[in-house]
């Protein structure tokens, strides 16, 4: 079936205006902009980290983070493949040690111990 110019224009506009990653949003955080699944606290880097531990999108959506849909998990992985360098940097830079240092600097020794329940 041949498309009319109007239906063709509508289809092209829909493709151009549709978000490439509809489940992902960028939030400005203390360490810079980070990609998250919309409406959640789950970052794209968290999803990637779980895959590196051997989890599948299905186990993430069904067992680990049942509040997420499979589409959200797959969109996070798709975003990762489109922005691999920035997400890999996040995973390399923001380690557990970095988090402890960050908390310690922001909260001071007493606040750090209160929140983490451990010493540095």
């Amino acid at each position: 079936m041949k498309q009319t110019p109007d239906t063709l224009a509508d289809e092209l506009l829909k493709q151009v205006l549709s978000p490439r990653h509809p489940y992902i949003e960028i939030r400005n955080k203390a360490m810079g902009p980070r990609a998250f699944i919309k409406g959640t606290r789950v970052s794209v880097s968290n999803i990637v980290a779980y895959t590196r531990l051997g989890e599948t999108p299905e186990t993430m959506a069904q067992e680990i983070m049942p509040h997420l849909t499979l589409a959200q998990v797959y969109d996070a992985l798709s975003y990762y493949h489109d922005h691999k360098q920035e997400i890999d940097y996040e995973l390399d830079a923001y380690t557990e040690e970095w988090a402890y240092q960050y908390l310690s600097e922001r909260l001071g020794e007493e606040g750090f111990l209160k929140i983490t329940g451990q010493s540095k």
Side-chain angles (χ1 to χ4, degrees), residues 61-81:
Q62 294 167 2
E63 299 170 18
I64 298 170
M65 295 174 270
H67 64 288
L68 298 180
T69 66
L70 199 51
Q72 289 172 309
V73 174
Y74 274 113
D75 195 31
L77 292 171
S78 174
Y79 181 91
Y80 167 66
H81 288 287

Side-chain angles (χ1 to χ4, degrees), residues 6-120:
D6 286 342
T7 58
L8 181 59
D10 286 344
E11 184 62 33
L12 289 172
L13 275 174
K14 194 183 306 179
Q15 288 175 14
V16 169
L17 297 176
S18 293
R20 184 167 171 100
H21 297 285
Y23 295 104
I24 304 301
E25 65 184 358
I26 306 301
R27 296 183 199 153
N28 288 319
K29 297 304 226 174
M31 64 283 276
R34 293 188 63 202
F36 287 84
I37 295 176
K38 285 182 183 175
T40 74
R41 290 194 235 173
V42 180
S43 69
V44 170
S45 60
N46 290 138
I47 297 295
V48 173
Y50 274 113
T51 64
R52 290 181 179 179
L53 293 172
E55 297 297 338
T56 65
E58 291 77 15
T59 59
M60 281 186 261
Q62 294 167 2
E63 299 170 18
I64 298 170
M65 295 174 270
H67 64 288
L68 298 180
T69 66
L70 199 51
Q72 289 172 309
V73 174
Y74 274 113
D75 195 31
L77 292 171
S78 174
Y79 181 91
Y80 167 66
H81 288 287
D82 284 346
H83 301 87
K84 194 171 182 324
Q85 188 174 9
E86 75 185 54
I87 302 301
D88 284 344
Y89 173 79
E90 264 183 54
L91 289 166
D92 291 340
Y94 305 123
T95 62
E96 186 176 353
E97 293 79 23
W98 177 89
Y100 283 147
Q101 182 66 33
Y102 179 84
L103 285 173
S104 179
E105 289 171 4
R106 299 295 182 282
L107 302 173
E109 184 71 24
E110 187 177 325
F112 175 82
L113 292 173
K114 187 175 181 180
I115 279 210
T116 63
Q118 56 187 305
S119 62
K120 294 192 282 184

